[in-house]
Amino acid sequence: MSEDNHVGVVGAGMMGAEIALCFAMAGHQVMLKETSLELAEKGKNRLAGVLDRLAKKNKIDADDKPLILDRITPTDNFDLFENVHLVVEAAFEDEDVKKQIFAELDTICPPACTFATNTSSIPITVLATAVGPERIGRFIGTHFFSPVSLMPLVEVIPGLDTAEDTIATVMAVCRQIGKTPIRVKDVTGFAVNRLLHVMWIEANRLLEEGVASIEDIDTACRLGLGHPIGPYALMDLTGNDLNLQVQHILQDAYGERFRPRPLLKQMVSAHHLGRKTGRGWKHYES
Ligand SMILES: NC(=O)c1ccc[n+]([C@@H]2O[C@H](COP(=O)([O-])OP(=O)(O)OC[C@H]3O[C@@H](n4cnc5c(N)ncnc54)[C@H](O)[C@@H]3O)[C@@H](O)[C@H]2O)c1
């Protein structure tokens, strides 16, 4: 896909807005679709601050900021999706919502347009059933990581009927926007969430057994394993309610090894959800 190719992003929340930004930074015109124009504009407006932070880290030239933002068109409808080459969907994590979006897009987007979903837990093969037989070969998962503007990894997940040339195209697109794609099978949790939650569950065991404190477990992972951030700091960023929900999904798929620890359930019952509630494993100023 060349820089002239237009991209559609559905959902301007935490993930969608920054996915749109990554495509705009790589030179693409991006249509950013939300349920209302107000939400689409709100998502785009947040990106000015993201670009300022990227400029401070010397990842972009501050003078390019207006040019990059101009490439993103907020919208509340799919009219502008008639000419897009790729759609990345980052709406709510709800099978019906996502299927409805893809079914509608299937009637609007050109036949050659590739559909990608940023789902973290719904099988790609299930979501692909929302499109017709002509599109199904061009349906794929692209699992970005938060914050998208900083995290280089994308898990590229073919569904059962995804064509090999779609996989190759999407891997190339990821590289073109400065990301590093890895190919992963369409299994629950893909690869990264399986690795992550096994570690988080074991961290909670260490804590329950009194082996080490929250601070020391974080220090162990940062200084002993080279992780940029410890498990408790990261759990507080993602939110314990979501962490628990994901562990239930993984437990359903893989059994005992992903059974959430009682301590995590207690934290959720107490509404100690993380940064968003001011208290999680650690305390945060409002
Ligand atoms: N948050 C993460 O760290 C993370 C990481 C990887 C993948 N994901 C996945 O990315 C997707 C989005 O997650 P998020 O954290 O950005 O959620 P979010 O709630 O911040 O954003 C979702 C946005 O989608 C919009 N939306 C809902 N229905 C829509 C529709 N029909 N058309 C257009 N917009 C619509 C909502 O208004 C909302 O702004 C989910 O599938 C999630 O599982 C999230």
Side-chain angles (χ1 to χ4, degrees), residues 241-258:
D241 46 349
L242 179 66
N243 302 338
L244 181 60
Q245 194 191 340
V246 174
Q247 286 175 22
H248 281 308
I249 292 170
L250 291 169
Q251 187 193 6
D252 280 349
Y254 303 107
E256 278 308 294
R257 71 185 199 266
F258 286 105

Side-chain angles (χ1 to χ4, degrees), residues 29 75 95 150 199 216 220:
Q29 294 293 326
T75 176
E95 188 178 318
L150 291 178
M199 190 186 68
D216 285 351

Side-chain angles (χ1 to χ4, degrees), residues 61-83:
D61 187 335
D63 294 343
D64 290 341
K65 189 176 148 184
L67 189 73
I68 294 169
L69 289 175
D70 271 357
R71 294 190 187 120
I72 301 175
T73 307
T75 176
D76 63 355
N77 61 68
F78 286 132
D79 292 352
L80 296 168
F81 281 56
E82 278 179 355
N83 296 316

Side-chain angles (χ1 to χ4, degrees), residues 13-28:
M14 183 165 139
M15 299 300 288
E18 287 200 33
I19 291 171
L21 184 67
C22 290
F23 280 99
M25 287 193 295
H28 297 278

